[in-house]
Amino acid sequence: MRRTGDLKLIQELNRFIILDTIRQFGPISRSDIAKKQGISPTTVTSAVNELIRDGMVAEDGTGESKGGRKPIMVRFCPDGKFLIGVSITNTAITIAEMNLEAATKQKKIYPVKAGLVSDLIIQYVLDSIEDFLQSVDDVSRCLGISIIAPGIVDAASGVIRFNSKLRLHDVPLIDMAEKRFGLKTWLDNDANAIALAEKNFGGGLNANNLLFVTVGEGVGSGLVVNGSIFRGSRGGAGEFGHTTVDRSGMRCDCGNVGCLENYVAWPAIYSGILSAVTRGKETLVMDLADGDMTKITFDVFRQALHQGDQVCQDIVDEIASYMSIGIVNLVNLFNPSLIILGGEMIRDNQVLFERIQKQVMAQAMGTMVEGLEFRPTVLGADFEVKAAAAVLLQDVFHFSL
Amino acid sequence: MRRTGDLKLIQELNRFIILDTIRQFGPISRSDIAKKQGISPTTVTSAVNELIRDGMVAEDGTGESKGGRKPIMVRFCPDGKFLIGVSITNTAITIAEMNLEAATKQKKIYPVKAGLVSDLIIQYVLDSIEDFLQSVDDVSRCLGISIIAPGIVDAASGVIRFNSKLRLHDVPLIDMAEKRFGLKTWLDNDANAIALAEKNFGGGLNANNLLFVTVGEGVGSGLVVNGSIFRGSRGGAGEFGHTTVDRSGMRCDCGNVGCLENYVAWPAIYSGILSAVTRGKETLVMDLADGDMTKITFDVFRQALHQGDQVCQDIVDEIASYMSIGIVNLVNLFNPSLIILGGEMIRDNQVLFERIQKQVMAQAMGTMVEGLEFRPTVLGADFEVKAAAAVLLQDVFHFSL
DNA sequence: ATCACTTTATAAAGTCATTGGAAAAATAAA
DNA sequence: TTTATTTTTCCAATGACTTTATAAAGTGAT
């Protein structure tokens, strides 16, 4: 049943607008808030008092007088409430306590042993959260738990629909967590959440249409559309790795032909190295792997690349070319105003970054590249839990009409 | 300045919810509306009375008693208000008066002479609207004017950013129309508007993520995302024709390589015919064009295709293959629940429709095709003005939180 | 046929978040 | 010191909603 209009609704809306104004423009006086948002001073006063009681806002001395009584400034208190961010990956469960600005207060990493899949991994996630909650005091100030996970995730119903590596299928994670901990819980896909975090805490503050692309062992993408995460009809949107870039290319596991992933992900890199070696090329990779083919890993490749190995650089050139085609398609379809590139392949690799940027700017349609910006990720080490926080904060506080 | 919460807001919201309930479930009693939406009976009574005064709702006899007083049924009156829909194309300005269900009351077509471009075409549009308004009585019941146009359109600011054929560049059409006619005016891109109309008046009632693809002389697409039109950051989203499907393909005017449009639009078809003829193939096209190459038009091609010409059918097969690749990309990126195919090429061409459908279902990712539907357009002859109406009605009445 | 009970619609009274006006507090300028 | 101005807060009024009460119009059992 859809939400109907009542007094509670307008109060919530105005409280949010006022809090958001303080967060963005604070320290600010009550009077200025009223003027800025067209809300009566009386309403602002009562709202601010309530926000102070809640601990989300505090008075902060007096400001400069403009010819009369000095204004009492109020400022945002990001530590007034907190939230628990949880990131599930194939190798670790990362859990953090964060404040309203997604600043980490404490963080624990629970390693995932190989082979821990299906029901067991879910149990492990829940047990880890329980353990983490022991070290949290004053649960009453906790807004809730926000979980992000790779794979196909139905955020609306709170179900992990599908994750092949962790062997998850239709796991009602929100229900399980809410029942066990009594805290409101959110769930979303990791790449989408990162895209939202880049928008809200990263460089994309004014970008309502933002594209996040990650290149590492695989490729992934997250999409922010009209200011919120775009999930598609069943949470499966953004399978950027499986867009066709070469009609006459190789067949992919997914049933399609010439998928991007086949040209830029680790298996493609690996076979590129092998083929170079077979052709008798010299490469640092073989030295680093002690001449043992089976010891060639993504990390070895990265090392060799960093040391200027020509074979690896050629492979990266090839990747740049394919990535650009894929991103051009995205630009022509979505017309984003900002593209953020991340992932192990791009980190510390200015050349790849610039090559992709240049090629996309040249090949995408003229009207699409006007004002189009490229940026590297800026979230830093805590990006996973920050992403989880972004999902929760967006839902709780972004209450605009 | 963002809208703040006041009493007017909750009233508007509730009026909308009640009107929408009557429209969807009517005839319905006041009491049932209250139960269905969780609004108090008193509020429903007063809202319904106001809607009756406005002419948008009417009482409609009594219903069956369920053990007490007989309910007075109320129903939606789509003719209570009307709107003006305007469609601008390269060949004609179509204007219609429509009711709240986008049913056409009267319609006029103002032909566009060749060479009428730039300022002149805009003047012609405005003059045509003025002429049309003469035949409309009771302007006070008019919700406004909704205009759709091809090209890059910035719906938010009401500006036609760019249209190459009509030579339009940054035309502030909404401002011009509102000043001249004193009626609130809307403006949007044609393909996007059609996509929305297909959702609201066509087969896509429950599809919140819907994709509309048209294949004719060119290709176009419109996108409905989370229930509303997706426009991108500057109104340029959905340039489906310029997505790369062949990395090693031919260079396109747009600066990119292997764009879909180069393989499926009229110039590609034309050169396909020529190449077949050069290779000495028999084709009806030459007969229909009296052996004159320059007389080969899209219509001639369509006729030959309809008469079963093999050369034309081969070309259509090729088109199906390319279109499918492009649509698979869209499906993997957007995860829509419904794809609607339209345009001259697909109309009356069940074979093409089915071939595309089959290929997309086979090649898109498994999780994306679960529950994915294909449908032909259902809007009929008035689809252009219906599309314009959809834009206005969505904005005026879709007021959900 | 009568009486008890339902259902529907509306009227009257009560609730509550907003607003506008006035008062209080605090300060600058004359 | 006096006056004007700005900021904050108190208070009554507004208005859209809800609850409660009432009237109208029915059903169904006795």
Side-chain angles (χ1 to χ4, degrees), chain A residues 269-283 286 293 309-312 314-315:
Chain A
I269 298 172
Y270 186 71
S271 74
I273 297 170
L274 289 199
S275 122
V277 170
T278 324
R279 275 180 288 124
K281 294 226 175 160
E282 284 292 317
T283 166
M286 289 312 280
M293 293 280 192
D309 181 68
Q310 190 58 45
V311 166
C312 294
D314 289 348
I315 289 173

Side-chain angles (χ1 to χ4, degrees), chain B residues 126 157-159 171-181 185:
Chain B
L126 294 172
S157 61
V159 173
V171 180
L173 192 52
I174 285 189
D175 276 356
M176 297 168 84
E178 289 189 340
K179 246 176 217 139
R180 179 144 164 195
F181 307 118
T185 304

Side-chain angles (χ1 to χ4, degrees), chain B residues 58-301:
Chain B
E59 295 195 336
D60 192 30
T62 56
E64 280 300 292
S65 164
K66 278 182 271 177
R69 175 174 168 177
K70 278 186 183 170
I72 303 167
M73 310 306 271
V74 293
R75 65 176 169 77
F76 183 52
C77 290
D79 293 324
K81 300 209 181 275
F82 69 91
L83 62 98
I84 308 293
V86 180
S87 161
I88 302 175
T89 70
N90 300 329
T91 54
I93 314 297
T94 310
I95 308 183
E97 175 189 338
M98 283 170 289
N99 72 4
L100 296 178
E101 283 174 332
T104 302
K105 293 298 163 180
Q106 53 167 327
K107 174 171 151 181
K108 278 191 199 168
I109 295 173
Y110 299 84
V112 171
K113 282 186 216 120
L116 197 64
V117 293
S118 199
D119 290 352
L120 291 174
I121 182 88
I122 295 297
Q123 270 316 312
Y124 184 59
V125 168
L126 294 172
D127 290 346
S128 302
I129 295 174
E130 180 147 319
D131 173 77
F132 188 85
L133 284 174
Q134 308 266 310
S135 59
V136 166
D137 46 29
D138 195 6
V139 181
S140 71
R141 280 175 37 247
C142 182
L143 288 168
I145 301 171
S146 180
I147 305 173
I148 64 171
I152 309 227
V153 172
D154 188 334
S157 61
V159 173
I160 299 181
R161 288 235 175 279
F162 183 69
N163 180 313
S164 68
K165 279 195 188 154
L166 295 175
R167 297 216 195 131
L168 301 175
H169 192 73
D170 288 339
V171 180
L173 192 52
I174 285 189
D175 276 356
M176 297 168 84
E178 289 189 340
K179 246 176 217 139
R180 179 144 164 195
F181 307 118
L183 285 167
K184 183 149 171 54
T185 304
W186 285 257
L187 175 67
D188 218 313
N189 167 269
D190 54 357
N192 280 333
I194 294 173
L196 186 65
E198 291 281 356
K199 171 185 175 311
N200 287 345
F201 316 133
L205 280 174
N206 292 316
N208 262 329
N209 292 289
L210 167 154
L211 181 60
F212 168 71
V213 173
T214 156
V215 200
E217 288 195 49
V219 291
S221 70
L223 218 49
V224 173
V225 160
N226 297 336
S228 47
I229 290 176
F230 176 63
R231 302 184 173 95
S233 70
R234 295 170 61 99
E239 277 295 341
F240 178 51
H242 295 281
T243 51
T244 303
V245 291
D246 188 355
R247 181 176 114 94
S248 42
M250 48 183 131
R251 185 155 283 281
C252 174
D253 292 341
C254 78
N256 202 355
V257 167
C259 290
L260 180 61
E261 180 138 313
N262 294 327
Y263 302 101
V264 301
W266 173 240
I269 298 171
Y270 186 71
S271 74
I273 296 170
L274 289 198
S275 123
V277 169
T278 324
R279 274 179 287 126
K281 293 227 175 156
E282 284 291 318
T283 167
L284 277 171
V285 171
M286 289 311 282
D287 304 341
L288 290 165
D290 304 328
D292 182 351
M293 293 280 192
T294 61
K295 280 194 182 165
I296 302 177
T297 62
F298 185 66
D299 266 336
V300 168
F301 169 76

